[in-house]
Amino acid sequence: MSVVKHIELSSAQARSIAVSAQGLQTTNRFSSTRLDIRHLRWAFSKLGVLQIDAVNAIARSHLLVLRARLGGGHDNLSKLLQDAAYDRRELTEYWCHEASYLPVKDLSLFTWRMRRAEQGEVWGGIRKFAAENPDFIKKVASYVEQHGPVSARQLESKPKGGTWWAWSESKVALEWLFWVGKVSVSHRNNFTRFYDQTSKVLGTNALDNSISEIDAHHELIRRAAHHLGIASTEDLIDYFRLPKIDGRQRVMELAERQELIAAQVEGWDRTAYLPANAKITDEMSKSVLLSPFDPLVWFRPRTQRLFDFKYRLEIYVPAAKRVHGYYVLPFLHANQLSARVDVKADMKTGVLNVLGVYSEANRMNEQAIEALADELQMLAIWRGLDTVKIGQRGDLARQMKKVIRNI
């Protein structure tokens, strides 16, 4: 590794930098170690935020993202995350990419978003409801103050009977209060969120309103550069979903200060940026399946630009029109996205169903196929399943059936 002194990079160098920045290189594997809070802190130093998603085809997305970096076991990771977010209160939830976990100490970097939400810059349905029902929202806030933590479902009926509010209205009111920072997620029960006043959940000093919007945007761009390793302006803005016009201005300012270093990457049609202290690395990635919401691939334009990998999640595509499958995971191998695997865990029968396996642009040689077989077996073990069953779909299905060794 050497300190960056030039601004021309090969596509292979860019991939290596990106993989290493995200903690996905081979040198960071903790599967043989009993994971604890220190490992989770390390993962967040690489990720910054951890997107939450309810789809559970294999496991919750956030657990797949942590597994890719930390290994460990599914239940151990789940308990570790639960403890950090709802017992230790080191992590909390907020809209910092999509709905995400982030360190509590970083929440103040998003008070500008809370202020903008109060002024109406929030998802349209919530904005309209808040504007038309201010008294209703005050009643919900008062109820939370007196009876929290509460879920939207609990607001359906009064404690002593009788109609209270419709669940959908209560949910929107709670979501608005969450957006503006008045309430935070106290805990989850079967993935249902329970809300309480932010001061009760996180303490009175959790939100520092003294941070200006511009300063917060600068810091979030710096962090995005650190987490991505190498990125275009659009990539940097997307990481924390900053306003596009303001975000572009902040990137320009940091580049002028040389806090971001401009680079030309082979094959890219736009300028890339690296953190000022970036290092060129030739480290190789581990061989691992990635969640569709992994930060390495969640911004699809960057995924295509960096890996020449056009990726579309087909959950909402009618089954007959899907190209690769319902819940397809990219396979990271040797710093390339080398295959796509449509997988589903059947917890009742103990089977990891591999419904389709597709190679990508001739990147799956014999070694890669063996690595994918090993990874599928490790994924099954991680999820507590006994068998890996390969289906019929995909050009790699027949080869995978030959090399897979059931547990």
Side-chain angles (χ1 to χ4, degrees):
M1 300 175 71
S2 59
V3 176
V4 172
K5 295 181 180 179
H6 56 82
I7 59 170
E8 292 186 3
L9 298 170
S10 68
S11 57
Q13 287 174 315
R15 289 191 294 271
S16 182
I17 292 168
V19 164
S20 296
Q22 278 285 307
L24 288 164
Q25 66 270 44
T26 55
T27 53
N28 290 312
R29 187 77 178 183
F30 301 107
S31 57
S32 61
T33 304
R34 177 69 178 179
L35 299 180
D36 59 35
I37 191 64
R38 295 169 297 175
H39 299 95
L40 191 62
R41 289 168 184 158
W42 176 87
F44 270 86
S45 75
K46 296 295 182 181
L47 298 166
V49 293
L50 180 61
Q51 184 175 334
I52 303 167
D53 191 79
V55 177
N56 198 13
I58 308 158
R60 303 292 186 194
S61 170
H62 40 279
L63 298 180
L64 289 171
V65 173
L66 292 176
R67 173 192 176 267
R69 290 150 181 82
L70 299 177
H74 172 275
D75 292 349
N76 184 27
L77 277 179
S78 181
K79 290 177 182 177
L80 192 59
L81 188 59
Q82 291 277 326
D83 177 66
Y86 311 120
D87 295 322
R88 288 176 177 267
R89 301 293 185 194
E90 286 195 24
L91 304 176
T92 192
E93 299 185 33
Y94 190 62
W95 292 95
C96 38
H97 180 73
E98 295 293 324
S100 305
Y101 290 109
L102 78 160
V104 171
K105 61 183 175 60
D106 294 341
L107 186 60
S108 290
L109 291 172
F110 296 93
T111 54
W112 63 271
R113 180 164 286 159
M114 298 172 189
R115 293 191 292 265
R116 284 196 177 206
E118 286 183 317
Q119 296 165 6
E121 290 191 35
V122 68
W123 175 64
I126 296 178
R127 177 178 65 247
K128 185 174 184 293
F129 184 87
E132 295 176 352
N133 300 276
D135 292 338
F136 176 75
I137 288 176
K138 287 179 182 177
K139 289 180 181 179
V140 172
S142 177
Y143 187 86
V144 172
E145 180 181 3
Q146 296 177 49
H147 303 284
V150 299
S151 68
R153 185 69 67 185
Q154 286 178 322
L155 297 178
E156 279 187 285
S157 59
K158 294 181 180 179
K160 295 183 180 180
T163 301
W164 192 239
W165 302 303
W167 177 80
S168 58
E169 294 176 341
S170 303
K171 181 176 176 61
V172 174
L174 284 171
E175 281 296 324
W176 190 83
L177 290 168
F178 180 59
W179 267 99
V180 301
K182 302 296 184 184
V183 303
S184 293
V185 178
S186 170
H187 64 281
R188 285 180 179 259
N189 185 7
N190 294 326
F191 217 65
T192 296
R193 293 193 292 191
F194 286 76
Y195 300 88
D196 207 343
Q197 287 184 302
T198 295
S199 59
K200 292 180 181 178
V201 176
L202 303 177
T204 56
N205 298 321
L207 295 178
D208 179 1
N209 287 300
S210 68
I211 302 174
S212 73
E213 181 168 317
I214 290 177
D215 287 344
H217 287 180
H218 278 145
E219 181 59 22
L220 291 171
I221 292 291
R222 290 188 198 99
R223 294 189 182 203
H226 167 75
H227 298 311
L228 291 170
I230 186 162
S232 72
T233 296
E234 296 83 359
D235 306 335
L236 294 169
I237 292 170
D238 176 77
Y239 204 84
F240 293 108
R241 295 289 167 86
L242 301 182
K244 292 183 180 179
I245 294 175
D246 295 337
R248 286 182 178 279
Q249 182 64 31
R250 302 293 85 82
V251 171
M252 288 175 58
E253 290 164 357
L254 291 174
E256 288 172 358
R257 298 177 192 175
Q258 296 189 330
E259 294 186 55
L260 295 176
I261 305 302
Q264 182 59 51
V265 178
E266 175 191 8
W268 287 30
D269 62 354
R270 63 203 65 196
T271 301
Y273 293 96
L274 300 90
N277 61 350
K279 296 180 179 180
I280 301 300
T281 173
D282 58 359
E283 291 185 285
M284 198 61 67
S285 73
K286 61 183 69 174
S287 298
V288 66
L289 289 162
L290 301 176
S291 161
F293 307 107
D294 193 292
L296 188 68
V297 298
W298 67 15
F299 190 48
R300 308 306 192 217
R302 180 176 187 258
T303 305
Q304 186 166 356
R305 194 184 326 117
L306 187 62
F307 294 102
D308 191 21
F309 187 89
K310 190 173 183 179
Y311 184 34
R312 180 189 185 195
L313 188 60
E314 299 181 281
I315 288 176
Y316 301 111
V317 176
K321 295 184 178 180
R322 290 177 190 143
V323 177
H324 297 108
Y326 176 78
Y327 201 71
V328 173
L329 308 186
F331 177 54
L332 178 65
H333 173 76
N335 287 351
Q336 289 276 13
L337 296 179
S338 301
R340 306 165 195 254
V341 187
D342 183 17
V343 287
K344 183 175 178 59
D346 189 331
M347 302 305 296
K348 291 183 179 180
T349 62
V351 176
L352 180 68
N353 288 299
V354 181
L355 305 172
V357 196
Y358 304 84
S359 64
E360 185 68 19
N362 300 315
R363 296 171 190 167
M364 291 296 288
N365 57 24
E366 185 176 341
Q367 181 188 37
I369 291 171
E370 289 282 353
L372 178 55
D374 290 343
E375 167 63 355
L376 286 168
Q377 290 172 318
M378 287 191 291
L379 180 63
I381 293 170
W382 177 80
R383 199 62 185 93
L385 303 172
D386 301 317
T387 306
V388 177
K389 183 178 179 180
I390 309 296
Q392 302 298 319
R393 289 193 287 108
D395 61 298
L396 290 178
R398 181 175 297 180
Q399 289 172 280
M400 291 305 301
K401 286 182 180 181
K402 292 180 179 179
V403 299
I404 201 78
R405 294 176 290 278
N406 274 314
I407 303 159

PDB file of all heavy atoms in Angstrom, residues 138 184 221 227 256 259 295 300 305 312 330-331 339 383 386 393:
ATOM      1  N   LYS A 138     -50.484  16.479  17.658  1.00  0.00           N
ATOM      2  CA  LYS A 138     -50.228  16.898  19.041  1.00  0.00           C
ATOM      3  C   LYS A 138     -50.820  15.901  20.031  1.00  0.00           C
ATOM      4  O   LYS A 138     -50.216  15.603  21.068  1.00  0.00           O
ATOM      5  CB  LYS A 138     -50.812  18.290  19.279  1.00  0.00           C
ATOM      6  CG  LYS A 138     -50.037  19.413  18.610  1.00  0.00           C
ATOM      7  CD  LYS A 138     -50.695  20.757  18.877  1.00  0.00           C
ATOM      8  CE  LYS A 138     -49.945  21.886  18.168  1.00  0.00           C
ATOM      9  NZ  LYS A 138     -50.631  23.195  18.384  1.00  0.00           N
ATOM     10  N   SER A 184     -38.254   8.561  19.143  1.00  0.00           N
ATOM     11  CA  SER A 184     -37.266   7.614  18.622  1.00  0.00           C
ATOM     12  C   SER A 184     -37.766   6.205  18.870  1.00  0.00           C
ATOM     13  O   SER A 184     -38.719   5.988  19.645  1.00  0.00           O
ATOM     14  CB  SER A 184     -35.908   7.820  19.299  1.00  0.00           C
ATOM     15  OG  SER A 184     -35.340   9.064  18.942  1.00  0.00           O
ATOM     16  N   ILE A 221     -20.416  14.224   3.772  1.00  0.00           N
ATOM     17  CA  ILE A 221     -19.686  13.954   2.528  1.00  0.00           C
ATOM     18  C   ILE A 221     -18.317  13.351   2.847  1.00  0.00           C
ATOM     19  O   ILE A 221     -17.870  12.403   2.185  1.00  0.00           O
ATOM     20  CB  ILE A 221     -19.536  15.238   1.687  1.00  0.00           C
ATOM     21  CG1 ILE A 221     -20.897  15.694   1.142  1.00  0.00           C
ATOM     22  CG2 ILE A 221     -18.534  15.035   0.553  1.00  0.00           C
ATOM     23  CD1 ILE A 221     -21.478  14.791   0.082  1.00  0.00           C
ATOM     24  N   HIS A 227     -16.290   5.865   3.698  1.00  0.00           N
ATOM     25  CA  HIS A 227     -16.976   4.572   3.626  1.00  0.00           C
ATOM     26  C   HIS A 227     -16.942   3.972   2.228  1.00  0.00           C
ATOM     27  O   HIS A 227     -16.881   2.744   2.076  1.00  0.00           O
ATOM     28  CB  HIS A 227     -18.428   4.721   4.084  1.00  0.00           C
ATOM     29  CG  HIS A 227     -18.573   5.178   5.502  1.00  0.00           C
ATOM     30  ND1 HIS A 227     -17.892   4.593   6.547  1.00  0.00           N
ATOM     31  CD2 HIS A 227     -19.312   6.177   6.051  1.00  0.00           C
ATOM     32  CE1 HIS A 227     -18.209   5.203   7.678  1.00  0.00           C
ATOM     33  NE2 HIS A 227     -19.063   6.170   7.409  1.00  0.00           N
ATOM     34  N   GLU A 256     -12.064  21.711  -3.370  1.00  0.00           N
ATOM     35  CA  GLU A 256     -11.254  22.925  -3.409  1.00  0.00           C
ATOM     36  C   GLU A 256     -10.320  23.010  -2.205  1.00  0.00           C
ATOM     37  O   GLU A 256      -9.203  23.518  -2.303  1.00  0.00           O
ATOM     38  CB  GLU A 256     -12.164  24.148  -3.466  1.00  0.00           C
ATOM     39  CG  GLU A 256     -12.864  24.332  -4.805  1.00  0.00           C
ATOM     40  CD  GLU A 256     -13.901  25.430  -4.771  1.00  0.00           C
ATOM     41  OE1 GLU A 256     -14.102  26.039  -3.684  1.00  0.00           O
ATOM     42  OE2 GLU A 256     -14.529  25.692  -5.823  1.00  0.00           O
ATOM     43  N   GLU A 259      -9.715  18.309   0.651  1.00  0.00           N
ATOM     44  CA  GLU A 259     -10.163  17.253   1.561  1.00  0.00           C
ATOM     45  C   GLU A 259     -10.694  16.064   0.765  1.00  0.00           C
ATOM     46  O   GLU A 259     -10.823  14.962   1.288  1.00  0.00           O
ATOM     47  CB  GLU A 259     -11.232  17.783   2.516  1.00  0.00           C
ATOM     48  CG  GLU A 259     -10.731  18.831   3.491  1.00  0.00           C
ATOM     49  CD  GLU A 259     -11.778  19.227   4.502  1.00  0.00           C
ATOM     50  OE1 GLU A 259     -12.320  18.332   5.185  1.00  0.00           O
ATOM     51  OE2 GLU A 259     -12.067  20.441   4.604  1.00  0.00           O
ATOM     52  N   PRO A 295     -24.157  -1.601   1.372  1.00  0.00           N
ATOM     53  CA  PRO A 295     -23.655  -0.316   0.862  1.00  0.00           C
ATOM     54  C   PRO A 295     -22.724  -0.434  -0.331  1.00  0.00           C
ATOM     55  O   PRO A 295     -22.587   0.530  -1.084  1.00  0.00           O
ATOM     56  CB  PRO A 295     -22.916   0.270   2.077  1.00  0.00           C
ATOM     57  CG  PRO A 295     -23.603  -0.323   3.254  1.00  0.00           C
ATOM     58  CD  PRO A 295     -23.965  -1.728   2.832  1.00  0.00           C
ATOM     59  N   ARG A 300     -27.260   1.649  -7.396  1.00  0.00           N
ATOM     60  CA  ARG A 300     -27.075   0.823  -8.586  1.00  0.00           C
ATOM     61  C   ARG A 300     -26.217   1.477  -9.675  1.00  0.00           C
ATOM     62  O   ARG A 300     -25.450   0.777 -10.351  1.00  0.00           O
ATOM     63  CB  ARG A 300     -28.431   0.412  -9.155  1.00  0.00           C
ATOM     64  CG  ARG A 300     -29.401  -0.238  -8.167  1.00  0.00           C
ATOM     65  CD  ARG A 300     -28.835  -1.432  -7.419  1.00  0.00           C
ATOM     66  NE  ARG A 300     -29.917  -2.151  -6.729  1.00  0.00           N
ATOM     67  CZ  ARG A 300     -29.816  -2.716  -5.554  1.00  0.00           C
ATOM     68  NH1 ARG A 300     -28.670  -2.671  -4.895  1.00  0.00           N
ATOM     69  NH2 ARG A 300     -30.829  -3.351  -5.000  1.00  0.00           N
ATOM     70  N   ARG A 305     -21.082   1.102 -12.677  1.00  0.00           N
ATOM     71  CA  ARG A 305     -19.855   1.810 -13.068  1.00  0.00           C
ATOM     72  C   ARG A 305     -18.609   1.129 -12.503  1.00  0.00           C
ATOM     73  O   ARG A 305     -17.595   0.996 -13.182  1.00  0.00           O
ATOM     74  CB  ARG A 305     -19.943   3.251 -12.553  1.00  0.00           C
ATOM     75  CG  ARG A 305     -18.921   4.200 -13.137  1.00  0.00           C
ATOM     76  CD  ARG A 305     -19.018   5.582 -12.506  1.00  0.00           C
ATOM     77  NE  ARG A 305     -20.360   5.991 -12.151  1.00  0.00           N
ATOM     78  CZ  ARG A 305     -20.758   6.231 -10.898  1.00  0.00           C
ATOM     79  NH1 ARG A 305     -19.916   6.117  -9.890  1.00  0.00           N
ATOM     80  NH2 ARG A 305     -21.995   6.605 -10.653  1.00  0.00           N
ATOM     81  N   ARG A 312     -30.700  -5.288 -10.583  1.00  0.00           N
ATOM     82  CA  ARG A 312     -32.073  -4.856 -10.299  1.00  0.00           C
ATOM     83  C   ARG A 312     -32.710  -5.864  -9.353  1.00  0.00           C
ATOM     84  O   ARG A 312     -32.703  -7.072  -9.608  1.00  0.00           O
ATOM     85  CB  ARG A 312     -32.882  -4.798 -11.605  1.00  0.00           C
ATOM     86  CG  ARG A 312     -34.325  -4.352 -11.412  1.00  0.00           C
ATOM     87  CD  ARG A 312     -35.115  -4.529 -12.707  1.00  0.00           C
ATOM     88  NE  ARG A 312     -36.468  -3.993 -12.599  1.00  0.00           N
ATOM     89  CZ  ARG A 312     -37.440  -4.256 -13.453  1.00  0.00           C
ATOM     90  NH1 ARG A 312     -37.190  -5.035 -14.511  1.00  0.00           N
ATOM     91  NH2 ARG A 312     -38.645  -3.743 -13.287  1.00  0.00           N
ATOM     92  N   PRO A 330     -25.847 -10.706  -5.108  1.00  0.00           N
ATOM     93  CA  PRO A 330     -24.601 -10.688  -5.890  1.00  0.00           C
ATOM     94  C   PRO A 330     -23.511 -11.461  -5.143  1.00  0.00           C
ATOM     95  O   PRO A 330     -23.435 -11.412  -3.905  1.00  0.00           O
ATOM     96  CB  PRO A 330     -24.245  -9.199  -5.966  1.00  0.00           C
ATOM     97  CG  PRO A 330     -25.466  -8.463  -5.520  1.00  0.00           C
ATOM     98  CD  PRO A 330     -26.186  -9.376  -4.590  1.00  0.00           C
ATOM     99  N   PHE A 331     -22.676 -12.154  -5.891  1.00  0.00           N
ATOM    100  CA  PHE A 331     -21.561 -12.911  -5.311  1.00  0.00           C
ATOM    101  C   PHE A 331     -20.276 -12.147  -5.555  1.00  0.00           C
ATOM    102  O   PHE A 331     -19.848 -11.959  -6.696  1.00  0.00           O
ATOM    103  CB  PHE A 331     -21.484 -14.301  -5.940  1.00  0.00           C
ATOM    104  CG  PHE A 331     -20.327 -15.133  -5.456  1.00  0.00           C
ATOM    105  CD1 PHE A 331     -20.117 -15.360  -4.100  1.00  0.00           C
ATOM    106  CD2 PHE A 331     -19.433 -15.708  -6.364  1.00  0.00           C
ATOM    107  CE1 PHE A 331     -19.049 -16.132  -3.651  1.00  0.00           C
ATOM    108  CE2 PHE A 331     -18.369 -16.488  -5.922  1.00  0.00           C
ATOM    109  CZ  PHE A 331     -18.177 -16.698  -4.558  1.00  0.00           C
ATOM    110  N   ALA A 339     -21.308 -13.428  -9.898  1.00  0.00           N
ATOM    111  CA  ALA A 339     -22.487 -14.261 -10.124  1.00  0.00           C
ATOM    112  C   ALA A 339     -23.682 -13.667  -9.397  1.00  0.00           C
ATOM    113  O   ALA A 339     -23.537 -12.776  -8.556  1.00  0.00           O
ATOM    114  CB  ALA A 339     -22.237 -15.695  -9.653  1.00  0.00           C
ATOM    115  N   ARG A 383     -27.438 -19.747   8.858  1.00  0.00           N
ATOM    116  CA  ARG A 383     -28.886 -19.603   9.068  1.00  0.00           C
ATOM    117  C   ARG A 383     -29.480 -20.791   9.820  1.00  0.00           C
ATOM    118  O   ARG A 383     -30.688 -20.815  10.081  1.00  0.00           O
ATOM    119  CB  ARG A 383     -29.581 -19.441   7.706  1.00  0.00           C
ATOM    120  CG  ARG A 383     -30.979 -18.837   7.792  1.00  0.00           C
ATOM    121  CD  ARG A 383     -30.929 -17.439   8.366  1.00  0.00           C
ATOM    122  NE  ARG A 383     -32.267 -16.884   8.564  1.00  0.00           N
ATOM    123  CZ  ARG A 383     -32.967 -16.966   9.697  1.00  0.00           C
ATOM    124  NH1 ARG A 383     -32.453 -17.603  10.749  1.00  0.00           N
ATOM    125  NH2 ARG A 383     -34.155 -16.424   9.804  1.00  0.00           N
ATOM    126  N   ASP A 386     -29.853 -27.288   7.303  1.00  0.00           N
ATOM    127  CA  ASP A 386     -29.124 -28.556   7.185  1.00  0.00           C
ATOM    128  C   ASP A 386     -28.686 -28.890   5.768  1.00  0.00           C
ATOM    129  O   ASP A 386     -27.736 -29.649   5.575  1.00  0.00           O
ATOM    130  CB  ASP A 386     -30.017 -29.711   7.688  1.00  0.00           C
ATOM    131  CG  ASP A 386     -30.445 -29.518   9.131  1.00  0.00           C
ATOM    132  OD1 ASP A 386     -29.592 -29.127   9.944  1.00  0.00           O
ATOM    133  OD2 ASP A 386     -31.632 -29.738   9.427  1.00  0.00           O
ATOM    134  N   ARG A 393     -32.650 -23.321 -12.431  1.00  0.00           N
ATOM    135  CA  ARG A 393     -32.456 -22.105 -13.205  1.00  0.00           C
ATOM    136  C   ARG A 393     -31.019 -21.608 -13.177  1.00  0.00           C
ATOM    137  O   ARG A 393     -30.341 -21.724 -12.168  1.00  0.00           O
ATOM    138  CB  ARG A 393     -33.383 -21.002 -12.678  1.00  0.00           C
ATOM    139  CG  ARG A 393     -34.843 -21.238 -12.987  1.00  0.00           C
ATOM    140  CD  ARG A 393     -35.682 -19.996 -12.729  1.00  0.00           C
ATOM    141  NE  ARG A 393     -35.868 -19.736 -11.304  1.00  0.00           N
ATOM    142  CZ  ARG A 393     -35.297 -18.757 -10.642  1.00  0.00           C
ATOM    143  NH1 ARG A 393     -34.453 -17.937 -11.266  1.00  0.00           N
ATOM    144  NH2 ARG A 393     -35.527 -18.567  -9.357  1.00  0.00           N
TER     145      ARG A 393
END
